[in-house]
Amino acid sequence: MNNIADTQRIHSFRFSPTSLKVYRTLKPKINSFQLIYKTTLVMGIPIAPLNARSSCAFILAKIWCWSIFLYKTVVLFITFSHVHRMLPGYASLFAFYFFDSFSYISMVAIIHQRRKIYSATKTAVELAARIDPSMFVGSKTIQYEILLLVMSSLTIISLLIIFFFYQEWESYIKILQAPLPVYQYTYTWIVVFSVVSLLSWSYITCFLLVLLCYNSFLAAGGLVNAYAESIRFMTCRNALIRGLGLFRELCRSVQKVDAAFNSCVFFLFGTVVGNFFGAISVLFSDSVSFQTPVARTYVGFTLLAGVGIIFVLTIGGNTVSEGQRRLKLALLEDSKKMSGLPPDVVRTFTMLSDNIRDFKLAVTGCEIFTVDKGLALTVGGMIITYSFLLFQFSGKPFTT
C-alpha cells in the first residue's frame, strides 16, 4: 500500500493546495457507481476522485481514510492476539481467522487496485453511452442494495454485541487477564470491543466488495448485450468497420474490469468458502457457548449471507458469458443477410466474425476460475458434501 489518497483523487497522501483541478467523473444519473464510491469513501476506502472546492476537504478525507485504515490494523492485531482464548474449538477459530484475514486482504486489494477499478468503471460508462445512451450502467436497484447493507450491518453488529458483551462477558472477565497495570474491566472491554469492531468491519468490507464487483460485472455484461443488439442491423461496410473498432474497445473494457477485480474476487470467494466451512463446523459443535439462540442466529445469518454472495456474484459474472452467447447468435443472424451483398462488405463482416470468435469475454478470479453459474453449482456441491460428511461423522442427529 503505497498511498491511500491522491492530491485531487484521494489516491495519494502527498497534497498540494496549488494543484487543485476539476476532474470529470462518472455521470450519476446513468450509473450506479457514484453512490457506491460515496459509500466506500464513508467506510474509509477511497476509489473515485474527490472533487471539492477547498483544500480542507482533501485533508479531511485523507485523515479519515488513514484513520480508518490504522484503526482496522490496530484492532486486527489486538483481536488476533486474544481471540484464541475467547472462542472454543478449532472450527470457530479457523472461521474467525480465515474470515477476518481475507477480509483485511480484500480491503488492501481494493485500495491497491483503486485506480484500475475507477478507470475500468469509467471506461464502461463512457463506452455504454456510445453504444446505447439510454442504458443504465450497473444495477438499477443500487439504492436498495445500499439500504440492505446498512440494515444487515446493524443486524450483525447487534448479534455480536449480545454474544460478546452479554452472553460471554463474565467468562471473558476471568479469561482475559490484563498483562499491564490496567483495570481488569477496562482491559476486557477494549479487547472485546476490538473483536466486535473487527468482525463488523470485515462484514461491511465484504458486503461493499460484493456490491462493487456485482455492479461492475453487470456493467460489463450490459455492454456486451447492448453491442449484440447493435450489430443485428449492420449491413453496410462503414457500419461494420465502426462495429469492428467498437468491438475491440468492448473487449478492452471487459478485460479492464476483469483485471481490476480478479484478485478481489479470488479473495472474496476464499473468504466466503472458508466461512462456510467454519460456520457449518460450528453448527455441529458441542460447545455450550454455541448452543444459544444468539449464536445459532449468527451462524444462520452468516450462512444465508454466504449463499447470497455466491448467488449475486455468479449472476453478475454470468451476464458477461450470456452476453457473449447472444453476441454469437446475433452474428449468426447477420451472416444470413450477407448473401448477395458486395464482396467488400462480406470481407469486413468476416473480419468482425473472426474477432468475435477469437475473443473470450468473461470475468475471473485471478484467471483461476470463471465467475458464472457453473461456479455456484461447484461451490454449492462442495458445501453440501462437506455438510453431509460432518453430519455423518458427528454421530448425532442434526438439531437447530
Side-chain angles (χ1 to χ4, degrees):
M1 257 191 86
N2 293 332
N3 301 312
I4 290 190
D6 194 16
T7 48
Q8 300 85 12
R9 307 185 171 206
I10 311 191
H11 287 321
S12 169
F13 284 96
R14 294 187 299 269
F15 175 72
S16 174
T18 60
S19 60
L20 295 178
K21 288 183 179 180
V22 177
Y23 282 80
R24 184 177 58 173
T25 56
L26 307 178
K27 297 179 180 179
K29 294 184 179 180
I30 61 172
N31 68 86
S32 60
F33 295 106
Q34 284 295 92
L35 185 56
I36 294 177
Y37 289 154
K38 290 177 181 178
T39 307
T40 55
L41 182 60
V42 171
M43 296 296 108
I45 304 176
I47 297 177
L50 176 66
N51 295 323
R53 297 180 179 179
S54 65
S55 60
C56 182
F58 295 114
I59 297 175
L60 292 176
K62 289 187 296 179
I63 294 174
W64 171 252
C65 294
W66 263 120
S67 300
I68 295 296
F69 178 76
L70 293 176
Y71 174 76
K72 292 178 182 178
T73 305
V74 170
V75 297
L76 179 72
F77 281 109
I78 294 175
T79 301
F80 277 24
S81 60
H82 292 84
V83 74
H84 64 278
R85 291 182 288 174
M86 300 171 62
L87 297 179
Y90 295 105
S92 58
L93 285 176
F94 168 79
F96 187 93
Y97 283 117
F98 200 95
F99 177 71
D100 289 292
S101 298
F102 268 56
S103 295
Y104 186 84
I105 294 173
S106 299
M107 178 194 67
V108 176
I110 296 173
I111 297 174
H112 178 71
Q113 296 284 92
R114 64 195 178 279
R115 292 186 179 89
K116 289 184 178 180
I117 291 173
Y118 180 75
S119 177
T121 54
K122 185 171 181 292
T123 301
V125 171
E126 292 176 349
L127 186 58
R130 294 171 56 190
I131 298 177
D132 184 3
S134 63
M135 182 176 66
F136 186 88
V137 184
S139 174
K140 294 181 179 180
T141 59
I142 183 60
Q143 294 90 347
Y144 300 103
E145 294 166 9
I146 298 296
L147 179 62
L148 179 62
L149 166 64
V150 175
M151 298 303 296
S152 59
S153 299
L154 293 176
T155 301
I156 205 73
I157 292 173
S158 301
L159 291 174
L160 291 173
I161 290 175
I162 294 173
F163 180 83
F164 285 98
F165 278 99
Y166 291 95
Q167 177 182 312
E168 301 296 318
W169 176 256
E170 294 299 328
S171 63
Y172 294 154
I173 289 286
K174 301 175 182 178
I175 294 172
L176 300 173
Q177 298 297 325
L180 302 174
V182 182
Y183 185 53
Q184 179 64 34
Y185 183 91
T186 304
Y187 180 79
T188 305
W189 191 92
I190 292 174
V191 173
V192 175
F193 179 79
S194 299
V195 173
V196 172
S197 60
L198 178 63
L199 276 171
S200 303
W201 278 113
S202 298
Y203 178 83
I204 295 172
T205 301
C206 186
F207 205 131
L208 279 175
L209 182 55
V210 170
L211 290 184
L212 190 55
C213 292
Y214 173 64
N215 281 268
S216 300
F217 294 166
L218 286 184
L223 285 177
V224 181
N225 284 306
Y227 181 79
E229 292 297 324
S230 67
I231 66 171
R232 293 180 184 274
F233 310 102
M234 292 183 181
T235 56
C236 66
R237 184 172 181 273
N238 290 335
L240 289 171
I241 291 175
R242 288 194 298 270
L244 179 60
L246 203 59
F247 177 74
R248 290 172 178 170
E249 291 186 50
L250 172 66
C251 291
R252 286 194 292 269
S253 178
V254 175
Q255 289 172 348
K256 286 181 69 174
V257 171
D258 180 48
F261 290 99
N262 57 18
S263 60
C264 300
V265 170
F266 177 80
F267 289 118
L268 183 58
F269 267 91
T271 303
V272 174
V273 172
N275 210 38
F276 263 131
F277 288 143
I280 294 171
S281 301
V282 168
L283 280 177
F284 291 93
S285 174
D286 294 327
S287 175
V288 178
S289 300
F290 296 140
Q291 304 300 323
T292 62
V294 175
R296 294 288 183 173
T297 303
Y298 174 79
V299 172
F301 190 86
T302 301
L303 292 174
L304 181 63
V307 171
I309 289 172
I310 297 294
F311 178 78
V312 166
L313 284 182
T314 51
I315 289 297
N318 195 72
T319 58
V320 181
S321 302
E322 183 67 19
Q324 187 173 32
R325 188 186 67 83
R326 292 183 181 181
L327 188 59
K328 292 181 179 180
L329 288 177
L331 194 65
L332 181 61
E333 293 178 6
D334 282 351
S335 64
K336 299 176 182 178
K337 305 176 185 178
M338 290 297 112
S339 58
L341 294 180
D344 58 338
V345 177
V346 177
R347 283 194 300 268
T348 308
F349 177 77
T350 302
M351 292 175 59
L352 178 61
S353 302
D354 292 340
N355 276 266
I356 292 177
R357 280 193 294 266
D358 292 340
F359 278 96
K360 181 181 179 181
L361 301 175
V363 288
T364 65
C366 286
E367 301 182 359
I368 298 176
F369 54 84
T370 302
V371 183
D372 55 14
K373 289 182 179 179
L375 180 62
L377 296 176
T378 302
V379 174
M382 181 173 56
I383 298 301
I384 292 173
T385 303
Y386 178 76
S387 302
F388 275 109
L389 288 175
L390 201 62
F391 170 69
Q392 185 176 6
F393 290 140
S394 65
K396 62 179 181 178
F398 178 72
T399 57
T400 58

